[in-house]
Amino acid sequence: MAQSVLIVEDEPMIREAVASYLEKQGCKVFLADNGVDALVIFEREAVTFIILDLMLPDMSGEEICTVIRKKSRVPIIMLTAKTQEEDVLRGLTIGADDYMTKPFSLKELYARMNVILRRSCNDLKPLAEKYSWNDNDLKIDFEQDEIYKNGEPLSLTPIEWKILSAFIRHPKKIFTREELIGLAFEPEFDGYDRVIDTHIKNLRKKVEDDPKKPVYLKTVHGIGYKFGGEKQ
Ligand code: CA
């Protein structure tokens, strides 16, 4: 499973155990032991899954979840103590996808992650919003799933939508091919990194004036891709 998982947990033993288990399953992990660090990492990295402890030294898991849900539908599993059942229910109403009560089995955590990923892999777009770039040259309406180039509607494949969504959610980030695969493909995908290049090439034909001189989907040599364009 090529996921980038942010583990937010102040108990080192749990944090390390979850991290090493997920790494063995092929995940990339980011670790935070407090809320502020967690939000910094979330802004900076292309996180595709969050494991979030409810009780942290500086912020509650619920607060973090609320902040994240304002900008992203990234799947979130909350970790809670047995005595926090009420908080858990509140957590789920503010946008966590599931919760696990400590102590929990790592195997079960992983199984639940996969269930959520299967359920949500068509749902990685930003929250319903409209975007436009370069004086309305490119416009996207995520509420209606519509995209326009120079006023003309475009037709994107589901994978192209996911790739574009990943760029738009992290406008300053340079994505590696591996990260784009983690964001745009089914968790079971086990293909060659370069497959992403084909999708980028096809996307460029649709959104760029000149696909050989891209202004939106830019190549960053030796790393991968990043998004350009002047946002309105
Ligand atoms: Ca805790």
Side-chain angles (χ1 to χ4, degrees), residues 9-11 53-57 79 102:
E9 168 63 82
D10 60 327
E11 289 164 62
D53 180 31
L54 198 58
M55 290 278 278
L56 294 160
L79 303 179
K102 297 175 194 175

Side-chain angles (χ1 to χ4, degrees), residues 1-4 25-28 48 178-179 181-183 187 189:
M1 160 159 102
Q3 295 292 315
S4 295
Q25 314 302 321
C27 297
K28 183 173 177 184
T48 58
E178 201 179 21
E179 285 170 332
I181 285 171
L183 288 160
F189 178 82

Side-chain angles (χ1 to χ4, degrees), residues 1 17-18 21-22 25 49 51 77-79 82 98-118:
M1 160 159 102
V18 173
Y21 188 86
L22 292 181
Q25 314 302 321
F49 209 105
I51 313 275
I77 291 183
M78 278 189 171
L79 303 179
K82 251 208 163 64
D98 201 356
Y99 72 95
M100 298 205 69
T101 306
K102 297 175 194 175
F104 54 86
S105 125
L106 293 168
K107 214 170 157 184
E108 191 186 341
L109 172 67
Y110 186 65
R112 290 207 195 179
M113 286 175 71
N114 276 304
V115 168
I116 293 170
L117 285 168
R118 272 197 293 278

Side-chain angles (χ1 to χ4, degrees), residues 109-145:
L109 172 67
Y110 186 65
R112 290 207 195 179
M113 286 175 71
N114 276 304
V115 168
I116 293 170
L117 285 168
R118 272 197 293 278
R119 203 169 66 202
S120 71
C121 67
N122 291 320
D123 200 21
L124 283 170
K125 62 190 180 188
L127 294 174
E129 270 184 70
K130 295 176 183 179
Y131 297 82
S132 72
W133 293 268
N134 293 8
D135 288 327
N136 289 331
D137 175 61
L138 187 65
K139 285 198 281 188
I140 299 185
D141 181 344
F142 278 105
E143 211 166 1
Q144 308 291 331
D145 276 344

Side-chain angles (χ1 to χ4, degrees), residues 12-210:
M13 274 175 65
I14 298 178
R15 192 174 61 238
E16 295 305 325
V18 173
S20 86
Y21 188 86
L22 292 181
E23 277 175 341
K24 272 186 211 132
Q25 314 302 321
C27 297
K28 183 173 177 184
V29 301
F30 299 99
L31 304 178
D33 60 6
N34 63 76
V36 171
D37 286 356
L39 291 172
V40 168
I41 293 170
F42 182 72
E43 285 295 319
R44 199 180 56 204
E45 306 290 345
V47 171
T48 58
F49 209 105
I50 300 179
I51 313 275
L52 180 60
D53 180 31
L54 198 58
M55 290 278 278
L56 294 160
D58 57 344
M59 294 169 82
S60 73
E62 291 169 282
E63 287 174 283
I64 297 170
C65 195
T66 306
V67 173
I68 285 172
R69 276 291 173 264
K70 284 187 184 146
K71 42 189 124 176
S72 166
R73 292 179 182 172
V74 61
I76 299 175
I77 291 183
M78 278 189 171
L79 303 179
T80 70
K82 251 208 163 64
T83 51
Q84 297 170 324
E85 293 291 346
E86 265 180 46
D87 301 319
V88 164
L89 294 175
R90 272 212 311 276
L92 292 180
T93 60
I94 57 163
D97 296 272
D98 201 356
Y99 72 95
M100 298 205 69
T101 306
K102 297 175 194 175
F104 54 86
S105 125
L106 293 168
K107 214 170 157 184
E108 191 186 341
L109 172 67
Y110 186 65
R112 290 207 195 179
M113 286 175 71
N114 276 304
V115 168
I116 293 170
L117 285 168
R118 272 197 293 278
R119 203 169 66 202
S120 71
C121 67
N122 291 320
D123 200 21
L124 283 170
K125 62 190 180 188
L127 294 174
E129 270 184 70
K130 295 176 183 179
Y131 297 82
S132 72
W133 293 268
N134 293 8
D135 288 327
N136 289 331
D137 175 61
L138 187 65
K139 285 198 281 188
I140 299 185
D141 181 344
F142 278 105
E143 211 166 1
Q144 308 291 331
D145 276 344
E146 281 169 353
I147 174 165
Y148 299 89
K149 165 72 180 172
N150 207 2
E152 295 292 318
L154 296 177
S155 161
L156 299 190
T157 67
I159 284 179
E160 288 167 356
W161 268 112
K162 287 183 204 168
I163 293 172
L164 209 51
S165 304
F167 282 118
I168 290 160
R169 281 191 301 160
H170 303 276
K172 289 181 189 136
K173 188 181 159 52
I174 299 171
F175 284 92
T176 64
R177 291 178 174 82
E178 201 179 21
E179 285 170 332
L180 285 174
I181 285 171
L183 288 160
F185 291 82
E186 304 285 330
E188 294 81 11
F189 178 82
D190 191 23
Y192 184 46
D193 276 10
R194 295 279 163 174
V195 77
I196 209 83
D197 295 3
T198 309
H199 293 289
I200 296 275
K201 205 171 145 192
N202 292 338
L203 255 179
R204 278 178 176 156
K205 282 186 201 149
K206 296 178 182 178
V207 305
E208 304 287 358
D209 286 337
D210 179 356

